[in-house]
Amino acid sequence: MAQKSFKEALKSSQLSLQQLSKLQKEAVLRINELKSQSKAYMEQVANLDDGFEDSAKGDQEAFDENIAKLTENIVKFNQQIGQQQEAFSSAISKLLDDLDELSNHYQGLKGEMTDLMKCRKSLLFVELSIRKYKAKIHSLQLMNNALFSFSQEIQEAKAAYKENLIKVSKLLSQAVEDCDIKIKELEEIIA
């Protein structure tokens, strides 16, 4: 009976890990897009010092187009972030609960230690992914501080964007801390 419970908990933790991975990939794609557009915007602003007023009409159109895209993506980010935070928080919580369940059913039977070691390895990867994601958020926070507000739309979105980036950063910090605790617990069981 315990072996069956262990296997069920293992399967559930693997499904939770897949869900968390999917959510992270989606979030990182959005963050990468925001980051590249913010970077392009900042480079275009830097070109103002080189006499942007005298440059070709196409440069101004590209500048305006990038501001519009960046503003649109920031607004989308602001609209979707609450739902994404909730989904991520639920997914990480579910994964950690599944790993608790797995630990509770561990009896040292054949193959269980190997499964726990694989779970630990997967959790280390999750933690690393969260740290990378947090670094991207930090980079966006720095870029947000440097963004100039050439349009009213971006100025309005910028304040909410700043607040949302702070919330995401806090959530990710807590997730890293929770993963660290769970990794140590798994290591104690394996040792």
Side-chain angles (χ1 to χ4, degrees):
M1 183 71 178
Q3 182 67 18
K4 183 178 178 188
S5 295
F6 182 87
K7 292 296 183 189
E8 289 173 353
L10 180 63
K11 184 173 182 166
S12 183
S13 69
Q14 290 168 340
L15 291 173
S16 295
L17 185 62
Q18 289 172 357
Q19 177 63 23
L20 182 64
S21 179
K22 179 183 171 200
L23 289 170
Q24 271 189 292
K25 286 177 185 175
E26 291 170 0
V28 167
L29 286 174
R30 166 86 50 209
I31 295 301
N32 285 342
E33 190 174 343
L34 278 168
K35 191 174 175 181
S36 68
Q37 286 179 335
S38 295
K39 185 177 177 181
Y41 174 76
M42 291 174 70
E43 287 172 358
Q44 287 173 328
V45 169
N47 287 338
L48 288 174
D49 293 336
D50 297 331
F52 190 67
E53 314 306 346
D54 299 331
S55 27
K57 184 179 178 186
D59 289 342
Q60 180 65 41
E61 289 173 6
F63 185 75
D64 292 341
E65 184 179 314
N66 194 46
I67 289 173
K69 282 183 187 176
L70 178 60
T71 303
E72 180 182 330
N73 277 338
I74 288 174
V75 168
K76 273 188 200 174
F77 177 85
N78 288 338
Q79 291 170 346
Q80 297 171 351
I81 193 61
Q83 183 181 3
Q84 288 176 340
Q85 280 183 301
E86 189 175 308
F88 178 83
S89 185
S90 294
I92 194 81
S93 180
K94 174 90 170 77
L95 175 62
L96 296 173
D97 288 347
D98 287 344
L99 290 174
D100 273 342
E101 186 75 20
L102 188 66
S103 299
N104 291 338
H105 291 296
Y106 176 75
Q107 293 184 337
L109 300 175
K110 185 176 180 178
E112 287 185 351
M113 184 177 287
T114 301
D115 289 336
L116 277 182
M117 290 171 69
K118 287 178 184 177
C119 288
R120 178 190 162 274
K121 184 178 177 182
S122 294
L123 195 55
L124 283 168
F125 180 75
V126 165
E127 181 192 28
L128 178 63
S129 297
I130 294 171
R131 287 181 188 273
K132 285 182 173 183
Y133 182 33
K134 188 175 185 308
K136 288 176 184 279
I137 293 293
H138 181 69
S139 176
L140 283 177
Q141 286 175 306
L142 293 175
M143 285 182 181
N144 186 56
N145 292 339
L147 284 177
F148 295 101
S149 299
F150 283 98
S151 69
Q152 183 63 30
E153 294 83 16
I154 199 169
Q155 190 167 352
E156 291 170 3
K158 187 179 167 186
Y161 182 56
K162 179 179 181 180
E163 188 65 30
N164 286 326
L165 289 174
I166 291 169
K167 288 178 185 176
V168 172
S169 183
K170 286 180 183 178
L171 174 67
L172 296 175
S173 293
Q174 184 62 51
V176 167
E177 189 176 314
D178 293 344
C179 286
D180 280 342
I181 290 168
K182 185 56 60 194
I183 289 167
K184 287 181 175 103
E185 288 175 8
L186 290 174
E187 287 172 347
E188 287 176 15
I189 293 171
I190 294 168

